[in-house]
Amino acid sequence: MSSAKGDLPDLGPLSPWAPELAETFVSLASDIALVIDEQGVIRKVAHGGAVPLELTAHDWVGRAWIDTVTGDTRTKIDKLLSEVTTTGLARRREVNHPSAGGENIPVAYTAVRLGEHGPVLAVGRDLRAIAAIQQRFIDAQRDMERGYWATRQAESRYRLLFQVATDAVLVVDATSLNILEANQAAATLFDLGIEQLVGRAAVFGFEHRSRPAVDELLTTARTSGRPAEIRARLAGKVIATSVAATPFRADEQMRLLVRVRAIDAPPAAAHALDTTVVRLVDQLSEGVVVTDPSGRIQVANPAFLKLVGGRAEADLKGRPLLDWLGLSPADLAALIQRARSHGLTRRHQSVLVSGDAAPAQVEIAAALLAEGDQECIGFTLRRIESQAAAIASPPPTVVDGLQAALEQLTTSLGDVALPELMRQASALTERYLIAAALERAGGDATAAAELLQVSRQSLARRHRRHPDAAARAPHSDLPPEAR
């Protein structure tokens, strides 16, 4: 008997032994073997005892092979039988057998024809074990990906909190590239007071070789309207820094929010750096909170959790920061708007309230975080212990002085008209409120102006009208002509 393919041996003499060959193949290297006649009907099934394949295959004898597989794999049986009829040998194909339990059993078959008109011997391998290994691999890969992204999110969370608490922040005029505002971290980084930073060129604190790059960074951020970042060195310090500039609008004016952070750790120490960041964030004494623009909490550090009674961070996420602040909704909205409009705010006094902890006097500062497409607000809250009484009310000497002055003014009743009395009362009140603000701010004119919600220049002008107020704040940093 001749073979359909010249390079295959004549297997015709093996036809009578097809059932025995099926048993032999199963015992040696396969899970199931089928003997199939010329009409494609199964005449013999030999299996290796695999459950549920054995339970499924026991009633296949007498059925067309194509009827034992799922509808989506019937064409594969057609192709396999066609190929084995034409060539005498069919390549491996994977099909699915439905089982009584409802699951599909994947089996990979190869087939050979035993002679020109002989039966087909189809030998199959149960793929469930391989599929299980593949699924375990996929599950392990997903677990690794979930772990990776969880680590990345934790990393991002800690770096965001660390950034709010420690980054030097400069608000720069986009036209002149001069500093308009700065936070305390910037004053510390550049070894100057905040007032000494205001008005200087934004590049002044960097070494001469880095200044052109910083200037180009600011210009690029201004012209492109997109955030940009470079590396630069500070003047007089062996410190490498990351300098990021983000454009934003304030009262129709273009501003640049410039953040400067030290990056001295070498790449090999990245893990140590991450560990350090985690440790520093967890050990910060200041409460740090990041909210969305509406004031809803996104992340918070352990110090803030302690301030509000030791809740878990997950319990706070998505809740309004206002739930714990003794501010009106309008006051918090104004604070957020100021941070969004001006880049940062000076410290504001408030009370932190919690159902599980005693109310605490705190100072709040806010800063805009607008890197990339995400805009959020970072808050730092510092608890004030010894100054709580002073913050709660103006100094007694100021109150007493104002009360005495108003009582003295009442002696003029009958001699001075009401409009003039009101003018004098207004001037007295302004004088004593300026003195109280300067006293509370420790002589810091900018902080006093912030308390009075006027500009520093307006405070200086008003101060000149009340020279005796200077005596009440001998350490004021107002210019001499304003004292």
Side-chain angles (χ1 to χ4, degrees):
M1 184 179 295
S2 61
S3 171
K5 287 181 67 75
D7 57 347
L8 289 176
D10 184 4
L11 301 178
L14 296 176
S15 295
W17 302 95
E20 288 77 6
L21 286 172
E23 296 284 356
T24 302
F25 276 116
V26 166
S27 65
L28 291 177
S30 62
D31 297 309
I32 190 168
L34 309 176
V35 178
I36 301 162
D37 64 18
E38 287 187 283
Q39 285 71 44
V41 176
I42 299 172
R43 294 305 177 188
K44 169 70 177 177
V45 175
H47 48 72
V51 180
L53 186 59
E54 178 182 358
L55 298 176
T56 302
H58 79 280
D59 62 349
W60 288 355
V61 175
R63 295 177 58 191
W65 187 18
I66 197 171
D67 292 336
T68 66
V69 300
T70 58
D72 58 324
T73 56
R74 287 171 65 93
T75 56
K76 294 184 179 182
I77 297 296
D78 274 335
K79 290 178 180 178
L80 193 150
L81 288 174
S82 175
E83 186 177 355
V84 77
T85 299
T86 304
T87 67
L89 182 67
R91 61 187 176 87
R92 183 176 184 268
R93 284 183 171 83
E94 296 178 7
V95 300
N96 292 319
H97 291 288
S99 71
E103 65 172 327
N104 289 335
I105 305 172
V107 179
Y109 284 103
T110 56
V112 61
R113 181 174 290 280
L114 304 179
E116 186 174 354
H117 299 288
V120 171
L121 180 62
V123 179
R125 192 74 174 166
D126 189 342
L127 297 180
R128 283 175 299 165
I130 297 173
I133 292 173
Q134 289 175 333
Q135 187 60 49
R136 283 198 296 271
F137 174 77
I138 291 171
D139 291 342
Q141 191 173 35
R142 286 176 179 167
D143 287 341
M144 287 176 64
E145 288 178 357
R146 281 194 291 267
Y148 169 77
W149 287 113
T151 301
R152 284 293 301 273
Q153 288 171 354
E155 241 176 59
S156 175
R157 168 186 174 275
Y158 274 104
R159 288 189 178 277
L160 189 62
L161 291 171
F162 188 68
Q163 173 181 333
V164 172
T166 64
D167 271 8
V169 181
L170 305 171
V171 179
V172 176
D173 178 75
T175 303
S176 65
L177 300 185
N178 289 337
I179 299 170
L180 300 175
E181 291 280 356
N183 68 351
Q184 187 56 51
T188 302
L189 183 67
F190 294 111
D191 296 326
L192 288 175
I194 292 176
E195 293 304 321
Q196 293 173 297
L197 288 174
V198 174
R200 290 177 178 265
V203 299
F204 92 96
F206 298 92
E207 67 173 8
H208 286 284
R209 286 178 296 180
S210 292
R211 289 183 182 183
V214 175
D215 188 71
E216 184 179 354
L217 166 77
L218 301 178
T219 303
T220 300
R222 176 183 62 192
T223 55
S224 69
R226 296 176 177 273
E229 185 173 355
I230 62 165
R231 302 291 184 263
R233 288 195 173 274
L234 299 178
K237 297 182 180 180
V238 189
I239 298 177
T241 62
S242 167
V243 186
T246 303
F248 71 100
R249 288 207 162 268
D251 302 325
E252 301 305 318
Q253 300 295 317
M254 180 66 77
R255 301 281 188 262
L256 298 174
L257 191 70
V258 180
R259 290 184 173 273
V260 185
R261 68 193 67 157
I263 52 167
D264 270 345
H271 177 70
L273 176 62
D274 290 341
T275 304
T276 301
V277 168
V278 171
R279 187 172 66 251
L280 288 174
V281 168
D282 286 346
Q283 293 178 354
L284 280 171
S285 60
E286 288 189 336
V288 182
V289 183
V290 178
T291 75
D292 63 17
S294 69
R296 292 188 175 275
I297 295 173
Q298 293 181 336
V299 293
N301 77 332
F304 181 79
L305 299 180
K306 184 176 180 182
L307 282 171
V308 298
R311 294 177 174 84
E313 185 185 37
D315 296 335
L316 274 61
K317 190 170 183 179
R319 292 184 58 183
L321 177 60
L322 197 62
D323 286 356
W324 291 277
L325 286 180
L327 294 175
S328 69
D331 287 340
L332 181 61
L335 189 64
I336 291 175
Q337 184 55 42
R338 184 168 179 79
R340 295 181 68 190
S341 298
H342 298 278
L344 54 86
T345 69
R346 300 293 175 87
R347 291 194 175 274
H348 179 89
Q349 286 79 29
S350 182
V351 177
L352 198 67
V353 294
S354 170
D356 302 327
Q361 297 286 349
V362 292
E363 285 185 336
I364 309 169
L368 176 66
L369 299 170
E371 297 183 10
D373 296 330
Q374 185 180 23
E375 180 181 276
C376 45
I377 310 296
F379 293 88
T380 56
L381 299 93
R382 181 167 65 88
R383 186 166 186 163
I384 306 168
E385 303 287 354
S386 59
Q387 300 178 14
I391 292 173
S393 61
T397 55
V398 173
V399 175
D400 293 345
L402 179 57
Q403 183 177 356
L406 290 174
E407 287 178 357
Q408 179 64 32
L409 190 60
T410 60
T411 62
S412 300
L413 287 173
D415 298 324
V416 180
L418 178 60
E420 178 59 21
L421 286 174
M422 291 299 295
R423 188 193 66 76
Q424 293 182 28
S426 176
L428 281 171
T429 304
E430 181 179 77
R431 179 173 64 194
Y432 279 95
L433 286 175
I434 290 173
L438 287 168
E439 201 166 319
R440 187 185 298 185
D444 184 338
T446 302
E450 184 80 19
L451 288 172
L452 294 169
Q453 299 187 25
V454 298
S455 68
R456 192 172 185 275
Q457 292 76 14
S458 175
L459 176 60
R461 287 196 303 272
R462 294 168 186 271
H463 201 277
R464 283 197 294 271
R465 296 201 297 263
H466 310 294
D468 61 333
R472 297 183 181 277
H475 301 294
S476 169
D477 62 352
L478 284 168
E481 64 272 15
R483 299 187 192 170

